[in-house]
């Protein structure tokens, strides 16, 4: 409703009654509503200083303030009138002052506000509301930053919650009293919650940090937080071995390393292990040469001279010794009747010519014999090329007819697969504890000798305890575990055998003829817990396999045994440097092999596959695979398992999340632990690829019905530090989510568990489990299929029959120009990347068959191996023709 200027006076005390405006433009000001050129703005009262609110409007005859619904007295207005030079319309400026007492009178009821109301002859117009607030900033911070010590490259988070204030305080950070500006320093940033974050700590980040909060009233400082960035020490590479301390005889040589790669700083830990290694050395003493006695004088020659000789061989010079001094041949004249007799007649010349002709004929005959033998042995025996010999009871199935009177080479009586005694190990129950055996001779192998070879057996419990007590007494094996579940042992002879620890993927293959004939060895295989055996890890190193002992050490093996280990590495040559470590009796660990290369000593070799490693070793001992990451893309496999109680009698319910090394031995350990706790497995285990990015592992719970359940976790997630998973002593770690039912009748739980590694680019790996469905123990993962007996001795330990194996070795070991030899077999079995290692051994074919046995026991497919052997024989059909003609 429009109000005239004269109608205002009854409402405003002391209002001047004036209805005229100086020089109004006809038809302009009288027809327009006033509009504001300046409206009152929000203001803050600092301490006791009053504030002013102002407004300007045109065309306006009157302007008054209205605060919190009440008109401000006319006497409190300061009014100024003028005319707009451009339009000629009247302008009016009004200002009022507001004190702290006016605002405090209504404090707590509502906020204090004011607005302008302008009049013209056409009506009224209201301005926007302007709020007047009392500014303040409290003294105490709601949360102050806390000092801490962090490792280099780790993340630093300093939290700060400023004091309460109006207007809200602005936050800035000081580092050693200097302003931290994220715009100028890309290595830091400040979160919306005012926390200072350093993603990758540097040594330069060691400082005192202060959080500063300020607004128009005051400036507050938090207490300083001391941040120390430390560096753990790391070993440098070993120096070369020094020269032997003696120039003749036995002495010492040493090598050293220093804790400078990097050196420990700011309280970081010093390197673990020895900085000096010593090794015995023997320097051969120089031996000067000595002359042997003179030979007899030769016959007098045609030139009437004869000679005699001697050799520098008693002793021969060696190890830098001096050669013999003097002449090795002495000549002198002979003028006796021998001279005239030696010069006689042409009959002697004819005799010499005849002898030379006979010698030439003998040489030609010898060459013919050698060529025939080479053609006979150059190709694969056709009987071995027949694939049925490995799968059909060794019966002859060759399509080539056998010659009359010659028994077929594959007709082996008796059949070893049915008549040869089964040699179980000493840990297996036997009906006859002292039985003897003797292999009968067949057509494929030369006789094994008439002597009998006896295996001594005893009860499993007695022999297991006897092994442990006997070997644990040795100083270098005092850490042997006492549990039979992590140890296997047996008695072996030249026929070899196999030890395995069930459900761990760990086995030891002792191939035939690895133990010298006439010898009987007691051998053990042991799985160690990581916390029981101290394996120092430096820098980016991480344990990739279980720690396994096989022994006793020092036994004489004529062929390498094969130790099978499971590992958890995602192998990539560009990301990893993987080493085989072996512990000496002194307790120190040494690198004996770089995986993918051949050891200089020739005693070790490792075939690394996706899930397992097969270690060839001629010396038994304690082994482990250790990896060192070469880039942040290097990853190891972790297995994630969830467990929950099978029943719940209280309102609380716990869900346990395990993060463990992805090897069967650790999985079995966690399963046994949870069975004792009465837990049940929730969902199927998942695999997480944990990268060497220095980022921690985070776990959180989501999508839980809030009307039925609530989490007792105060934070939004739990965190497992990176170094605990990468280089910690525990093979598994776990976090517990404790939940609470809001009603005792609630028995269903549906939620998701997320597990992810914090990455620099913000990407995360998550695993979702729906745990609403109960899972009983019967749903637990079934361990991989393995032989039920931990020790197998003799032919029962191998898939390939003994005599057939010997025949294959005899046929393929000899190099063949046409390619029908062990090299082709290695190619057929996809083992051709190891040809140089196989070639360094006395029997390359035996190495290939041993590796096949280790990889495919007990479920190996003999038909596939037989097919590969048969394909080797088809390289050249002429080989079969030669073999057939010579049968």
């Amino acid at each position: 409703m429009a109000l005239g200027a004269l109608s205002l006076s009854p409402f405003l005390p002391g209002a001047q009654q004036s209805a005229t405006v100086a020089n109004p433009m006809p038809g302009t000001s009288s027809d327009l509503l006033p509009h504001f050129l300046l409206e009152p703005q929000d203001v803050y009262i600092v301490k006791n200083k009053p504030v002013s609110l102002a407004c300007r409007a045109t065309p306006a005859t009157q302007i008054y303030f209205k605060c919190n619904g009440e008109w401000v007295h006319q006497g409190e207005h300061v009014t100024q009138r003028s005319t707009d030079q451009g339009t000629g319309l009247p302008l009016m400026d009004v200002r009022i002052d507001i004190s702290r007492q006016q605002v405090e009178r209504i404090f707590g009821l509502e906020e204090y506000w004011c607005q302008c109301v302008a009049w013209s002859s056409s009506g009224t117009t209201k301005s926007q509301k302007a709020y007047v607030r009392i500014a303040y900033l409290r003294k105490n911070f709601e949360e102050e930053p806390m000092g801490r010590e962090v490792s280099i490259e780790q993340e630093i988070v300093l939290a700060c919650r400023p004091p309460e204030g109006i207007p809200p305080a602005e936050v800035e950070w000081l580092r050693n009293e200097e302003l931290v500006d994220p715009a100028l320093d890309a290595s830091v940033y400040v979160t919306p919650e005012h926390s200072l974050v350093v993603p990758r700590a540097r040594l330069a980040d060691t400082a005192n940090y202060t959080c500063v909060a300020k607004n128009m009233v005051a400036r507050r400082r938090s207490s300083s937080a001391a941040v120390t960035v430390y560096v753990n020490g790391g070993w440098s590479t070993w120096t070369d071995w020094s020269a032997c301390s003696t120039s003749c005889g036995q002495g010492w040589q040493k090598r050293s390393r220093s804790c400078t790669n990097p050196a420990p700083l700011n309280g970081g830990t010093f390197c673990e292990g020895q900085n000096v290694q010593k090794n015995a050395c023997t320097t051969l003493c120089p031996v000067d040469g000595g002359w042997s006695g003179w030979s007899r004088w030769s016959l007098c020659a045609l030139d009437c001279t004869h000679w005699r000789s001697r050799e520098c061989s008693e002793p021969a010079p060696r190890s830098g010794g001096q050669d013999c001094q003097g002449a090795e041949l002495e000549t002198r004249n002979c003028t006796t009747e021998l001279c005239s007799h030696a010069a006689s007649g042409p009959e002697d010349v004819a005799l010499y010519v005849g002898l030379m002709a006979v010698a030439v004929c003998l040489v030609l005959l010898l060459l013919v014999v050698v060529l025939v033998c080479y053609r006979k042995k150059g190709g694969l025996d056709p009987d071995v090329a027949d694939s049925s010999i490995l799968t059909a009871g060794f019966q002859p199935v060759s399509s080539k007819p056998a010659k009359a009177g010659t028994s077929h080479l594959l007709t082996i009586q008796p059949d070893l697969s049915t008549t040869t005694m089964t040699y179980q190990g000493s840990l297996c129950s036997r009906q006859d504890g002292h039985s003897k055996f003797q292999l009968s001779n067949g057509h494929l192998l030369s006789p094994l000798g008439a002597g009998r070879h006896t295996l001594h057996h005893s009860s499993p419990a007695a022999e297991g305890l006897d092994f442990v007590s006997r070997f644990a007494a040795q100083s270098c094996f005092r850490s042997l575990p006492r549990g039979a579940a992590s140890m296997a042992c047996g008695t072996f002879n030249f026929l070899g055998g196999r030890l395995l620890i069930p459900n761990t993927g760990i086995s030891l293959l002792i191939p035939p003829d690895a133990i010298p004939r006439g010898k009987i060895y007691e051998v053990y295989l042991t799985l160690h817990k990581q916390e029981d055996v101290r394996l120092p890890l430096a820098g980016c190193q991480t344990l990739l396999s279980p720690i396994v002992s096989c022994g006793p050490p020092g036994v004489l093996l004529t062929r390498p045994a094969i130790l099978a280990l499971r590992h958890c590495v995602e192998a990539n040559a560009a990301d990893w440097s993987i080493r085989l470590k072996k512990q000496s009796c002194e307790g120190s660990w040494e690198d004996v092999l770089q995986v993918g290369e051949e050891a200089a000593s020739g005693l070790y070799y490792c075939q690394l596959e996706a899930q397992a490693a097969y270690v060839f070793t001629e010396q038994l001992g304690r082994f482990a695979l250790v990896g060192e990451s070469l880039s942040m893309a290097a990853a190891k496999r972790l297995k994630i398992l969830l467990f929950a109680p099978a029943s719940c009698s209280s309102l609380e319910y716990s869900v346990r999340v395990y993060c463990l090394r992805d090897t069967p031995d650790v999985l079995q350990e966690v399963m046994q632990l949870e069975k004792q706790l009465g837990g049940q497995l929730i969902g199927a285990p998942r695999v997480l690829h944990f990268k060497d990015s220095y980022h921690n592992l985070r776990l959180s719970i989501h999508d839980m019905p809030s009307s039925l359940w609530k989490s007792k976790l105060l934070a939004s997630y739990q965190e497992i530090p990176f170094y605990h998973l990468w280089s910690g002593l525990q093979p598994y770690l776990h976090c517990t989510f404790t939940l609470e039912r809001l009603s005792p009748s609630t028995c269903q739980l549906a939620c998701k568990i997320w597990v992810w590694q914090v990455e620099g680019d913000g990407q995360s790996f998550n695993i979702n489990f729906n745990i609403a469905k109960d899972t009983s123990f019967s749903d637990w993962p079934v361990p991989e299929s393995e032989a039920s007996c931990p020790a197998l001795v003799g032919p029962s330990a191998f898939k390939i029959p003994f005599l057939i194996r010997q025949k294959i070795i005899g046929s393929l070991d000899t190099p063949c120009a046409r390619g029908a030899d062990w090299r082709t077999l290695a190619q057929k079995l996809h083992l051709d990347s190891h040809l140089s290692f196989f070639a360094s051994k006395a029997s390359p074919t035996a190495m290939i068959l041993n590796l096949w046995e280790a990889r495919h026991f007990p479920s190996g497919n003999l038909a596939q191996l037989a097919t590969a052997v048969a394909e080797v024989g088809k390289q050249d059909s002429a080989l079969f023709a030669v073999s057939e003609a010579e049968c």
Side-chain angles (χ1 to χ4, degrees):
M1 174 179 177
L3 297 175
L6 294 178
S7 63
L8 182 64
S9 58
F11 305 99
L12 298 175
Q16 298 293 329
Q17 295 186 5
S18 176
T20 61
V21 178
N23 298 324
M25 294 181 68
T28 302
S29 62
S30 60
D31 297 336
L32 296 176
L33 286 173
H35 68 277
F36 287 94
L37 302 178
L38 176 65
E39 296 186 75
Q41 303 294 321
D42 295 345
V43 292
Y44 295 93
I45 296 177
V46 179
K47 298 182 179 179
N48 293 320
K49 296 179 181 179
V51 295
S52 297
L53 296 178
C55 60
R56 175 186 299 171
T58 184
T61 57
Q62 296 292 342
I63 300 178
Y64 292 98
F65 274 92
K66 193 175 188 179
C67 295
N68 286 82
E70 296 182 0
W71 293 103
V72 179
H73 194 276
Q74 183 179 8
E76 298 178 9
H77 292 71
V78 177
T79 305
Q80 182 179 356
R81 299 177 183 274
S82 62
T83 302
D84 189 335
Q85 299 297 327
T87 62
L89 297 177
L91 288 174
M92 194 170 187
D93 292 271
V94 178
R95 176 175 57 83
I96 64 172
D97 292 332
I98 299 174
S99 66
R100 183 186 184 102
Q101 291 77 13
Q102 289 177 270
V103 177
E104 287 178 341
R105 276 200 296 267
I106 63 168
F107 183 76
L109 300 176
E110 60 177 325
E111 289 190 293
Y112 193 92
W113 59 268
C114 295
Q115 68 177 161
C116 288
V117 181
W119 282 265
S120 73
S121 59
S122 299
T124 62
T125 303
K126 295 181 180 180
S127 71
Q128 67 180 10
K129 289 182 179 181
Y131 290 89
V132 181
R133 300 179 178 92
I134 298 176
Y136 68 92
L137 182 63
R138 302 198 184 278
K139 292 183 178 181
N140 296 327
F141 281 75
E142 295 185 5
E143 183 180 3
E144 291 188 301
M146 303 296 293
R148 62 187 58 195
E149 296 181 352
V150 297
S151 175
I152 194 168
E153 299 292 335
Q154 276 195 323
E155 184 182 60
I156 304 175
V157 179
L158 297 176
C160 177
R161 294 171 60 192
E164 179 185 356
I166 293 179
E170 298 178 356
V171 173
E172 62 185 18
W173 285 88
L174 301 179
R175 179 197 289 133
N176 290 340
E177 302 303 323
E178 294 183 0
L179 181 65
V180 177
D181 189 355
L184 301 178
D185 188 354
S187 63
V188 300
Y189 65 90
V190 179
T191 67
E193 295 79 19
H194 309 300
S195 296
L196 180 67
V197 180
V198 182
R200 298 172 69 91
R202 305 162 300 178
L203 289 175
D205 294 321
T206 299
N208 292 322
Y209 291 83
T210 307
C211 181
V212 179
K214 62 181 180 179
N215 64 5
M216 63 176 58
V217 178
R219 187 173 187 265
R220 312 289 188 203
R221 290 168 57 98
S222 71
S223 57
S224 295
V227 174
T228 302
V229 180
Y230 63 86
V231 179
N232 292 327
W235 288 115
S236 65
T237 57
W238 287 102
T239 62
D240 293 334
W241 286 103
S242 65
C244 199
S245 60
T246 60
S247 58
C248 177
Q250 187 172 6
W252 294 93
Q253 58 180 171
K254 66 178 182 178
R255 62 177 183 175
S256 62
R257 58 181 178 176
S258 59
C259 190
T260 57
N261 187 31
L265 292 174
N266 296 337
T269 59
F270 196 78
C271 304
E272 294 183 358
Q274 300 175 343
N275 64 338
V276 176
Q277 284 185 345
K278 288 187 177 181
N279 193 22
C281 59
T282 301
T283 304
L284 297 177
C285 299
V287 177
D288 295 337
W291 289 115
S292 64
W294 287 103
S295 65
R296 293 183 178 181
W297 288 102
S298 66
L299 295 178
C300 197
L302 296 177
D303 58 353
C304 294
T305 61
H306 61 171
W307 53 268
R308 63 177 181 175
S309 64
R310 58 181 178 176
E311 296 179 352
C312 188
S313 59
E314 293 185 3
R318 61 179 181 271
S319 303
Q322 295 183 356
D323 289 335
C324 301
Q325 301 296 321
E328 63 179 352
L329 185 67
E330 182 181 6
T331 305
R332 69 181 182 182
N333 294 330
C334 53
T335 56
T336 61
E337 67 278 5
L338 293 176
C339 176
S340 60
H341 177 73
S344 62
E347 293 84 359
D348 293 335
V349 176
L351 177 60
Y352 296 151
V353 172
L355 290 175
M356 291 183 63
V358 171
V360 170
C361 292
L362 289 176
V363 170
L364 292 177
L365 181 60
L366 180 61
L367 288 176
V368 172
V369 172
V370 170
L371 288 176
V372 171
C373 293
Y374 178 78
R375 289 178 58 84
K376 180 178 180 180
K377 297 181 180 180
L380 179 69
D381 194 314
D383 297 309
V384 178
D386 193 343
S387 63
S388 64
I389 63 174
L390 295 178
T391 57
F394 318 114
Q395 298 303 318
V397 296
S398 175
S399 59
K400 300 183 293 293
K403 293 188 176 183
T406 303
S407 61
H408 197 283
L409 292 178
L410 293 180
T411 305
I412 304 174
Q413 299 295 334
D415 185 2
L416 289 180
S417 64
T418 56
T419 62
T420 302
M421 167 186 173
T422 300
Y423 303 104
Q424 300 294 337
S426 57
L427 290 183
C428 299
S429 58
R430 294 294 307 271
Q431 295 179 356
D432 183 6
H434 300 277
S435 58
K436 300 181 179 181
F437 69 92
Q438 181 182 13
L439 277 178
S440 60
N441 298 328
H443 298 287
L444 294 179
L445 190 64
S446 60
L448 297 178
R452 293 180 178 268
H453 308 274
T454 304
L455 287 181
H456 302 282
H457 301 276
S458 60
S459 64
E463 183 162 339
L465 293 175
D466 183 54
F467 265 94
V468 172
S469 61
R470 199 159 49 242
F471 291 117
Q474 302 181 24
S475 60
C476 55
F477 289 98
R478 294 190 184 278
S479 59
L480 283 177
R482 299 303 196 262
S486 58
M487 183 175 183
C489 51
T491 305
F492 301 92
N493 66 355
F494 75 97
L495 290 175
R498 186 187 308 262
L499 290 175
L500 55 89
I501 302 176
N503 302 327
T504 63
I506 300 170
S507 66
L508 178 67
L509 177 72
I510 304 174
D513 294 325
I515 298 176
R517 299 200 178 212
K519 299 285 186 180
I520 295 179
Y521 291 163
E522 293 178 341
V523 182
Y524 64 83
L525 179 66
T526 303
L527 168 65
H528 297 275
K529 289 187 176 181
Q530 189 172 343
E531 59 267 25
D532 295 337
V533 178
R534 183 73 173 169
L535 175 58
L537 300 175
C540 300
Q541 290 183 344
T542 180
L543 184 63
L544 302 176
S545 73
I547 301 175
V548 177
S549 292
C550 54
V555 298
L556 175 63
L557 294 180
T558 58
R559 292 187 179 181
I562 300 180
L563 176 63
L565 299 171
R566 290 301 183 94
H567 64 76
C568 63
V569 63
E570 288 297 307
N572 187 328
D575 299 333
W576 284 99
S577 172
I578 303 175
R579 293 179 173 87
L580 177 67
K581 284 185 174 286
K582 182 174 183 289
Q583 188 180 30
S584 66
C585 284
E586 290 77 14
S588 62
W589 288 86
E590 299 178 351
D591 296 338
V592 297
L593 176 67
Q594 174 81 29
V595 175
E597 302 177 2
E598 294 186 30
S601 63
L603 298 177
Y604 309 98
Y605 189 76
C606 182
Q607 155 78 1
L608 188 68
E609 299 185 354
Q611 301 287 336
Y614 300 94
V615 178
F616 291 78
T617 174
E618 296 182 17
Q619 292 184 353
L620 304 183
R622 184 170 294 164
F623 297 94
L625 282 179
V626 172
E628 183 174 2
S629 61
L630 302 179
S631 71
M632 296 180 65
K636 60 185 291 187
R637 294 190 308 273
L638 299 181
K639 184 153 286 187
I640 311 298
L641 290 85
L642 271 67
F643 289 91
S647 61
C648 181
S649 58
S650 64
L651 293 179
E652 287 191 354
Y653 191 77
S654 298
V655 178
R656 294 181 291 275
V657 183
Y658 287 84
C659 304
L660 52 119
R661 185 180 67 220
D662 187 18
T663 53
D665 59 297
V666 185
L667 176 62
Q668 183 185 31
E669 184 176 352
V670 172
M671 290 293 189
Q672 292 175 350
L673 173 63
E674 278 297 325
K675 281 190 177 182
Q676 297 173 1
L677 297 177
Q680 65 179 7
L681 183 66
I682 304 299
R686 300 291 184 89
V687 173
L688 171 73
H689 293 90
F690 190 71
K691 294 183 178 180
D692 182 20
S693 60
Y694 299 99
H695 291 292
N696 299 336
L697 192 70
R698 289 184 177 177
L699 305 92
S700 59
I701 187 166
H702 302 273
D703 299 344
M704 186 172 55
S706 58
S707 60
L708 301 176
W709 296 84
K710 73 174 182 178
S711 173
K712 303 188 73 173
L713 183 68
L714 298 179
S716 59
Y717 58 84
Q718 299 190 64
E719 198 166 54
I720 301 177
F722 168 82
Y723 288 101
H724 290 185
L725 291 167
W726 193 261
S727 54
L729 296 179
Q730 294 294 334
Y732 64 87
L733 298 170
H734 82 279
C735 291
T736 300
F737 291 95
T738 303
L739 313 177
E740 183 177 357
R741 293 183 291 176
L742 301 182
S743 170
S745 60
T746 302
C747 60
Q748 293 293 323
L749 172 62
C751 65
K752 290 183 179 179
I753 301 292
W754 286 11
V755 182
W756 77 98
Q757 186 181 15
V758 182
E759 295 287 349
D761 57 4
Q763 297 179 356
S764 65
F765 181 93
N766 61 72
I767 301 176
N768 299 335
F769 291 101
N770 188 329
I771 62 174
K773 176 183 179 295
D774 291 338
T775 305
S776 63
F777 288 118
S778 61
D779 296 322
W780 284 24
V782 178
E784 59 188 70
S785 174
E786 290 186 352
S788 59
C789 184
L792 299 173
V793 180
S796 64
F798 304 96
K799 296 288 292 183
I800 306 173
F802 183 78
L803 297 184
I804 298 301
R805 167 193 170 91
Q806 297 299 95
K807 191 65 175 179
I808 296 175
I809 293 173
S811 299
L812 298 184
D813 269 352
T814 303
C816 179
R818 298 179 178 88
D821 55 21
W822 62 270
R823 292 169 295 182
T824 305
L825 179 61
Q827 182 180 8
K828 297 294 182 183
L829 298 179
H830 307 290
L831 300 176
D832 46 333
S833 60
H834 313 298
L835 292 181
S836 59
F837 169 72
F838 295 148
S840 67
K841 300 304 176 183
S843 176
T845 310
M847 295 298 102
I848 297 174
L849 298 181
N850 294 343
L851 181 56
W852 187 92
E853 290 277 8
R855 295 169 66 194
H856 297 89
F857 187 84
S859 57
N861 190 338
L862 275 178
Q864 294 180 354
L865 177 62
T867 301
V869 175
E871 290 176 354
V872 174
K874 296 176 183 177
Q875 295 291 318
D876 193 340
S877 59
L879 295 176
F880 291 98
V882 172
S883 300
E884 183 71 20
E886 296 176 355
C887 289

